[in-house]
Amino acid sequence: MSDEIIREVYEVLESRRDNPIDSYTSNIMKDSDKKAEDKILEKIAEEAGEVLIASKNDENLVYESVDLIFHTLLLLVYKGIEIDEIFDEFSRRRK
């Protein structure tokens, strides 16, 4: 598996934002601006809590972490952030 999967997921999310279909991600992003953002933020909070519990219980940490990362990517796509901005920031912090 390649790290390109993050870029692929991001592109799918962008496509679902720009060309909505009947999917979870399209539906959450096409609500009114405030409602859509609130729903995404609520999911991030929920998933962050699940990561904490998974870590404490030593189970499903990878699964729950991927949910958190996915919803964070969804927020970034919704807010119009380009994926290269994210990679650039990681590069900047690595220096």
Side-chain angles (χ1 to χ4, degrees), residues 4-5 8 10 16 18 23 25 28 32 41-44 46 58 64-65 72 77 87 90 94:
E4 285 294 311
I5 190 67
E8 290 174 22
Y10 210 83
R16 300 269 168 91
D18 299 340
S23 72
T25 53
I28 200 169
S32 67
L41 293 173
E42 286 171 10
K43 280 302 290 182
I44 290 172
E46 175 189 331
D58 287 325
E64 297 300 346
S65 295
T72 301
V77 166
F87 291 133
F90 272 114
R94 188 167 185 255

Side-chain angles (χ1 to χ4, degrees), residues 33-65:
D33 286 344
K34 185 64 176 167
K35 188 174 179 183
E37 185 173 7
D38 287 348
K39 282 184 177 181
I40 296 168
L41 293 173
E42 286 171 10
K43 280 302 290 182
I44 290 172
E46 175 189 331
E47 298 303 341
E50 290 177 6
V51 167
L52 297 174
I53 292 166
S55 180
K56 290 299 248 177
N57 294 338
D58 287 325
E59 58 184 40
N60 300 321
L61 182 56
V62 171
Y63 181 88
E64 297 300 346
S65 295

Side-chain angles (χ1 to χ4, degrees), residues 54-88:
S55 180
K56 290 299 248 177
N57 294 338
D58 287 325
E59 58 184 40
N60 300 321
L61 182 56
V62 171
Y63 181 88
E64 297 300 346
S65 295
V66 170
D67 278 349
L68 177 58
I69 293 165
F70 176 85
H71 285 91
T72 301
L73 293 176
L74 178 61
L75 176 65
L76 293 166
V77 166
Y78 177 76
K79 298 294 273 186
I81 306 297
E82 296 293 327
I83 192 160
D84 287 330
E85 292 179 65
I86 299 162
F87 291 133
D88 290 346

